[in-house]
């Protein structure tokens, strides 16, 4: 079993829909990262969370430490949100990232 | 500062050849990481530097792989005697001591033919 699991694996939505992407992890963590990867490889860091909730524009990330679960929400989705969304964690003082496989999101106009 | 820079962007090499990739991190970041990503998978950790010290190496990093960060600034990743299984995207990232500002480069895509 992978330390970081993401669901669903692929997701298709219509423009304007509210989207939720989930991430579960099986180990104690010091922080959880949400990352976005567009075709061609570039990875952009969206959020780093250790508790609670963060918001940036149309993106909201939440984390429940007790349940070892995090969600990334996209409000008013747009085709330019189409990308791979990856959840990754760091453990203790170790700053390397352990990644989930990522979820491919397609937003149709 | 223009972020994390990786060169080259693409590399095609024949099996058995040596290749070297370079990563220039954000100048204020003292932590530098190398990851490898194959198609359809999340990245996997290869190695990590704090300043010039290589603090951790993954078991994925066979004897054919070596990484350096000689002056605590840029880093190089060398693969000797490349194999087809080495074909992947090699990603470099840097961060500050408290992991804020975790920033990835655009990656070097290696194809071994």
């Amino acid at each position: 079993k992978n330390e970081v699991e993401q669901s669903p694996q692929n997701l298709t939505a219509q423009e304007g829909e509210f989207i939720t992407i989930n991430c579960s992890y099986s180990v104690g963590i010091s922080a959880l990262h949400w990352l976005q990867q567009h075709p061609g490889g570039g990875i952009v860091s969206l959020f780093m969370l250790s508790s609670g909730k963060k918001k940036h524009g149309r993106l909201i990330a939440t984390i429940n430490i007790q349940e070892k679960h995090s969600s990334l929400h996209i409000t008013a989705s747009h085709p330019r949100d189409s990308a791979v969304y990856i959840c990754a964690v760091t453990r203790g003082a170790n700053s390397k990232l352990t990644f989930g496989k990522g979820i491919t999101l397609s937003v149709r106009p | 500062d223009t972020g994390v820079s990786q060169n080259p962007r693409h590399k095609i090499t024949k099996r058995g050849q040596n290749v070297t990739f370079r990563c220039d991190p954000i100048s204020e970041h003292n932590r530098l990481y190398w990851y490898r990503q194959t198609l359809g998978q999340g990245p996997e950790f290869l190695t990590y530097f704090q300043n010039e010290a290589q603090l951790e190496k993954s078991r994925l990093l066979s004897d054919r792989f070596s990484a350096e960060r000689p002056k605590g600034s840029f880093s190089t990743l060398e693969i000797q005697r490349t194999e087809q299984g080495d074909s992947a995207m090699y990603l470099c990232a840097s961060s500050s001591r408290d992991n804020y500002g975790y920033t990835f480069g655009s990656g070097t895509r290696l194809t071994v033919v």
Side-chain angles (χ1 to χ4, degrees):
Chain A
K1 188 178 189 299
N2 292 333
E3 291 183 353
V4 181
E5 297 277 358
Q6 293 189 244
S7 62
Q9 191 167 0
N10 294 289
L11 185 57
T12 301
Q14 284 297 129
E15 183 174 357
E17 285 184 352
F18 180 84
I19 294 167
T20 296
I21 299 170
N22 296 304
C23 176
S24 297
Y25 52 92
S26 57
V27 296
I29 67 169
S30 53
L32 183 142
H33 297 246
W34 280 103
L35 308 163
Q36 180 192 57
Q37 186 172 31
H38 282 283
I43 293 179
V44 174
S45 178
L46 300 175
F47 295 103
M48 184 175 85
L49 291 166
S50 53
S51 64
K53 174 180 174 178
K54 287 189 175 180
K55 184 177 189 292
H56 181 70
R58 295 181 295 105
L59 302 179
I60 303 167
T62 64
I63 189 168
N64 185 317
I65 297 295
Q66 287 74 30
E67 295 188 3
K68 293 186 168 60
H69 182 269
S70 176
S71 293
L72 177 68
H73 306 285
I74 304 174
T75 61
S77 59
H78 191 277
R80 65 175 174 266
D81 297 326
S82 299
V84 177
Y85 291 85
I86 305 172
C87 171
V89 300
T90 54
R91 300 174 60 184
N94 193 325
S95 59
K96 71 180 183 187
L97 291 173
T98 301
F99 295 81
K101 287 188 176 181
I103 288 168
T104 301
L105 171 66
S106 297
V107 181
R108 294 177 177 166
Chain B
D1 200 332
T2 55
V4 177
S5 176
Q6 289 190 247
N7 288 289
R9 289 293 306 273
H10 303 274
K11 178 71 176 178
I12 300 174
T13 191
K14 291 184 178 179
R15 191 173 52 186
Q17 297 295 304
N18 299 345
V19 294
T20 300
F21 310 141
R22 176 177 171 128
C23 172
D24 288 87
I26 290 175
S27 55
E28 304 86 54
H29 287 176
N30 63 344
R31 294 182 173 184
L32 185 148
Y33 317 83
W34 285 98
Y35 296 93
R36 180 171 68 186
Q37 185 178 27
T38 53
L39 201 61
Q41 301 296 316
E44 296 174 300
F45 171 76
L46 293 179
T47 191
Y48 151 54
F49 291 85
Q50 183 161 305
N51 300 313
E52 65 276 9
Q54 188 173 21
L55 296 188
E56 187 173 348
K57 290 171 59 173
S58 166
R59 287 189 295 273
L60 293 174
L61 218 62
S62 75
D63 292 344
R64 297 184 297 106
F65 288 70
S66 62
E68 294 183 342
R69 194 183 183 196
K71 296 182 180 178
S73 56
F74 73 93
S75 175
T76 58
L77 177 67
E78 181 183 16
I79 309 173
Q80 296 182 327
R81 305 181 302 282
T82 52
E83 302 173 355
Q84 285 188 321
D86 298 332
S87 296
M89 175 75 84
Y90 289 84
L91 293 161
C92 176
S94 69
S95 74
S96 59
R97 183 180 299 275
D98 54 6
N99 279 344
Y100 281 92
Y102 219 109
T103 304
F104 285 82
S106 297
T108 294
R109 183 170 294 283
L110 173 66
T111 302
V112 182
V113 297

